[in-house]
Amino acid sequence: MRNNRAMSVPHRVAVLALDGVVALDLGTPAQVLGAARADDRTPLYAVATCTPGGLPIRSSAGFQVLPDHGLELLERADTVIVPGIHSGSPLDDGTVAAEVAQALRAAYDRGARVMSICTGAFVLAAAGLLDGRPATTHWAYASRFRRLHPGVRLDPDVLFVDDGRVLTSAGVAAGIDLCLHVVRTDHGSAVANRAARRCVVPPWRDGGQAQYIERPVPRGADNGTAATREWAQQRLHEPVALREMAAHARMSVRTFTRHFRSETGLSPAQWLLQQRTEHARVLLETTDLSVDRIARDAGFGTTAALRQHFHARVGVSPTAYRRTFR
C-alpha cells in the first residue's frame, strides 16, 4: 500500500453523476478501478454511483442513469470522482447547485480524495476546490474554463494533473490514464499493469493532449516527417541526431522541428526517447536478452541510461517490468 487512503480494502469510491454526464466517463472508474485486484484476486476498490437526490439523470449518449444512491454516498467515500458533462450550469456560467458544492467540499474537508474526468473539472472549480491549484480539462474547453475560472492554473497540454488530494484529467480516455495512475499510486505498478491488461489498454501513455488536438492535415506527404520517422525507427540501435533527421527530411533543423511537433505533438528528442522506450518494452517482453544488451539495441547505450528513462516513463525498472510481463 502506497498511502493511507489505500488502507481500507476495498477502497470506497463514489462517482457523482450530474445531468448530461458523459457516458464513457461515467463507466470508466468502475471498469478500471474494478479491474484492480490484489494477488489473491480480492477487489481493491468498491465503486458506486450517486446523483443529487438519488434521482435519474440524462446521459450524453441518449439514455437515463438510474443511480442507487444520493449525495449521502459522498459522506463515507474515500475517493470522489466527478465524470465529465456535456451541458448544464457548470459549463454555461461556472456555477453548480449549492447542495453539490457543499457535498464535494465536505468530502474534501474530511480527507477524501477528489477527482474529475474531462469537463468534470468545471464542477470541481465551481465548488471552489480548484482555486489556486494546477488542473486540466479537455483541450477543446480550455478557453471557456479560463474565462469562467481565471484563478485556476489550467494546463491543457497534459493528460492528467495530480495535486495531492485533488486530481483532474483531460478528455474522455484520459480518465483511464488517471484511474490507472491512482491504482499505481495506491498499490504499485504491478497491480496497475495487471488492471491495464485486463482492460486492454496501455498502462501508461506518453505525451500530452497536444498530440490529439485538431490540426490541419499536411498538404502532402513530401512536406511531412512520416518518412523520416520510419527511417529513424529502423535505426533505434544507432545514435540519431536531430540534424540527421532534418537532412533526411530535406529541411532545416528549425523547419523540421516545427513540422515534427505539429504532426506528433512531441519534439524529435521526446519522440525518439518514446520510441526507444517502447522498443525496450517489446524486447523485455518477448526476448531473453540481457538488460545490458537491450539497452544497446534500443539505443540507450548504457544500462544506467535505460533504467533511468524506463523508470521515468513506465514507472518501474526494466527488470521489474520483465518480471511482470514475462
Side-chain angles (χ1 to χ4, degrees), residues 24-322:
L24 179 58
D25 294 359
L26 177 61
T28 292
Q31 186 67 45
V32 177
L33 299 179
R37 306 293 179 90
D39 291 340
D40 62 359
R41 311 303 299 165
T42 299
L44 296 172
Y45 299 88
V47 183
T49 300
C50 67
T51 63
L55 299 174
I57 60 167
R58 295 167 300 162
S59 79
S60 64
F63 59 81
Q64 284 193 325
V65 178
L66 303 176
D68 292 332
H69 306 278
L71 291 177
E72 68 278 357
L73 186 68
L74 274 61
E75 298 173 2
R76 55 184 183 274
D78 301 307
T79 292
V80 176
I81 302 178
V82 181
I85 51 175
H86 270 183
S87 60
S89 62
L91 295 180
D92 296 337
D93 56 21
T95 64
V96 69
E99 60 175 343
V100 172
Q102 183 178 357
L104 286 170
R105 288 195 296 265
Y108 176 80
D109 289 342
R110 67 170 176 76
R113 176 170 54 192
V114 181
M115 300 164 48
S116 67
I117 299 175
C118 192
T119 50
F122 281 79
V123 178
L124 298 191
L129 292 177
L130 297 182
D131 292 344
R133 290 182 179 272
T136 192
T137 190
H138 194 296
W139 59 266
Y141 289 84
S143 296
R144 184 186 306 192
F145 190 96
R146 286 195 176 103
R147 175 172 55 82
L148 293 174
H149 304 289
V152 180
R153 291 150 48 199
L154 184 71
D155 184 353
D157 295 329
V158 297
L159 293 177
F160 61 82
V161 171
D162 181 344
D163 189 44
R165 286 199 296 117
V166 179
L167 301 87
T168 53
S169 76
V172 195
I176 299 174
D177 298 294
L178 178 58
C179 286
L180 287 173
H181 167 73
V182 166
V183 176
R184 186 178 298 109
T185 300
D186 288 350
H187 301 286
S189 293
V191 174
N193 290 344
R194 286 200 302 267
R197 289 203 156 179
R198 188 177 182 89
C199 295
V200 198
V201 296
W204 182 271
R205 282 195 296 167
D206 293 304
Q209 291 196 74
Q211 58 191 311
Y212 303 106
I213 297 176
E214 293 176 350
R215 303 172 189 278
V217 177
R219 293 181 180 177
D222 292 342
N223 295 328
T225 63
T228 298
R229 280 181 271 137
E230 182 178 355
W231 172 83
Q233 283 181 315
Q234 297 172 355
R235 291 164 174 78
L236 292 177
H237 60 287
E238 304 173 0
V240 179
L242 174 59
R243 63 178 181 276
E244 294 176 314
M245 297 175 72
H248 182 273
R250 298 183 181 179
M251 300 178 188
S252 68
V253 169
R254 182 176 180 179
T255 299
F256 175 77
T257 301
R258 176 167 51 83
H259 278 273
F260 197 98
R261 185 179 290 277
S262 175
E263 294 173 25
T264 68
L266 301 170
S267 70
Q270 291 170 327
W271 180 86
L272 267 175
L273 187 57
Q274 179 188 81
Q275 300 306 308
R276 295 189 192 284
T277 303
E278 290 304 310
H279 186 47
R281 289 171 69 156
V282 171
L283 294 177
L284 287 165
E285 289 189 30
T286 61
T287 75
D288 293 320
L289 295 174
S290 68
V291 174
D292 184 62
R293 172 66 183 275
I294 290 174
R296 295 196 303 271
D297 288 354
F300 287 100
T302 67
T303 303
L306 169 62
R307 287 173 179 155
Q308 175 185 350
H309 292 294
F310 198 90
H311 194 282
R313 287 179 169 266
V314 182
V316 293
S317 69
T319 302
Y321 183 87
R322 171 170 271 173

